[in-house]
Amino acid sequence: MIPFNKPYITGNEINYISDVINSGVLSANAKYTKLCQNFFEKKYHIKKCFLTSSCTAALEMAAILLNIKNGDEVIMPSYTFVSTANAFVLRGAKIIFADSKSENPCISEDLELLITNKTKAIVVVHYGGIACDMDKIMELALKHNLFVVEDAAQSIDGFYKGKDGRKKALGTIGHIGAISFHDTKNITSGEGGMLMVNSDQFIKRSEIIWEKGTNRSAFFRHEVEKYGWEDIGSSFSPSEMIAAFLFAQLENLEPIQKRRIEIWNLYKEKLSNLQLDHKIELPVIPDYATNNGHMFYIICSSLKERTELICYLKNKTVSCSFHYLSLHKSLYYKDLYSGDELTQADKYSERLMRLPFFYELTDDQIKEVTSTIASFYSDKILNQLKS
Ligand SMILES: *Cc1c(COP(=O)(O)O)cnc(C)c1O
């Protein structure tokens, strides 16, 4: 069986976890938390990073930081993971779902009509680690005085190349960014995430929200004599064991990214004939985006065809998957949704299929996946001729 995902263990995780155990400090915000946060701050020029227990938790911090309250409207794509929306719904926001682009599942920048005097923020999702067109989004946000949050869950080491010619890491362009280290992402700590604070106005308060609403961090820096309750907050920071695991992964970011991009390119090469024959559509990287090798997907011609293909592949021991039921059609939100049809979101929801993607996937396995997909389409033609 070729699995859909297999977390890669670099080897040093266990050593760093032992180091934590021997140090006697197991809780949060010690050596490894700082090493991980520094790694990101230096490498991607991020003002301030906070490790969190998940990307979901980082998004919840973002919603608190923006003071989202009952009745505020937050615009985001419908084609995304539930956490993008849940974090804001928990604060009482009304979610205004936008459609995806026709060329990829990122939010369509054509969303000005969705902005009202209640709109507080736009949340973008860099789907598959491929950037949204951030210049356009930031321009709209500036014009209407809105905050921008980047759900960069899948976007480690992905960049946006703006009009000014500078390459900016995803998650560092909006006011706040959130990244995930779930075991389906490029770099993992099992569960884990990080908040990226890009706007000075949020730095001080982030630290307090992160520390259960207290100024404990300032206390540990000897800036205050005692610490106490200053704001709302929660237990957002992961234990040092998690951070130790993550740091071992980060030390291997370069080889992991190199191989993942090779995998992506080999998939694209091996499937290009099927695309030329108009059997499937393949992902395209816009000029303003880089490829971070997060995932490879194909777009089938119908829901029925995708269902048959997934079944066919499973019988030939290849495990593929689809994801994201458009949130505006979800059980939880469908009765609350009163906007337009979102045809692109529905397209990706019904027709997008993800291929096995992990660091240890071999070239032979990739060829097996792609030749099995090809044989599905040739069998299909044969069956049509027979009937
Ligand atoms: C994985 C993912 C999340 C959730 O990340 P967790 O770390 O599991 O909370 C949120 N948004 C998107 C787009 C994701 O892909």
Side-chain angles (χ1 to χ4, degrees), residues 54-56 80-81 83-84 125 151 153-154 180 182 185 192 324:
S54 62
C55 179
T56 303
T80 182
F81 189 59
S83 293
T84 320
V125 180
D151 180 340
Q154 310 172 354
S180 173
H182 185 264
K185 312 297 201 247
Y324 301 159

Side-chain angles (χ1 to χ4, degrees), residues 52-59 79-84 124-128 151-154 178-185 190-194 294-295 323-324 354:
T52 54
S53 46
S54 62
C55 179
T56 303
L59 290 164
Y79 188 74
T80 182
F81 189 59
V82 285
S83 293
T84 320
V124 301
V125 180
H126 303 296
Y127 184 83
D151 180 340
Q154 310 172 354
I179 190 168
S180 173
F181 308 118
H182 185 264
D183 75 4
T184 52
K185 312 297 201 247
E191 299 278 352
M194 193 180 70
H294 174 62
M295 77 159 81
H323 67 171
Y324 301 159
R354 298 173 62 185

Side-chain angles (χ1 to χ4, degrees), residues 4 79 127 271 280-281 283 295-300 305-311 313 318-323 347-356 369 373 377:
F4 176 67
Y79 188 74
Y127 184 83
L271 290 167
I280 57 173
E281 290 168 44
M295 77 159 81
F296 199 91
Y297 63 80
I298 66 171
I299 298 184
C300 302
E305 185 181 294
R306 183 182 73 179
T307 310
E308 288 169 2
L309 176 55
I310 290 176
C311 184
L313 287 159
V318 177
S319 182
C320 288
S321 91
F322 60 88
H323 67 171
K347 172 181 93 178
Y348 296 115
S349 185
E350 292 177 357
R351 291 163 46 194
L352 183 145
M353 186 184 90
R354 298 173 62 185
L355 307 188
V369 174
I373 294 172
Y377 285 100

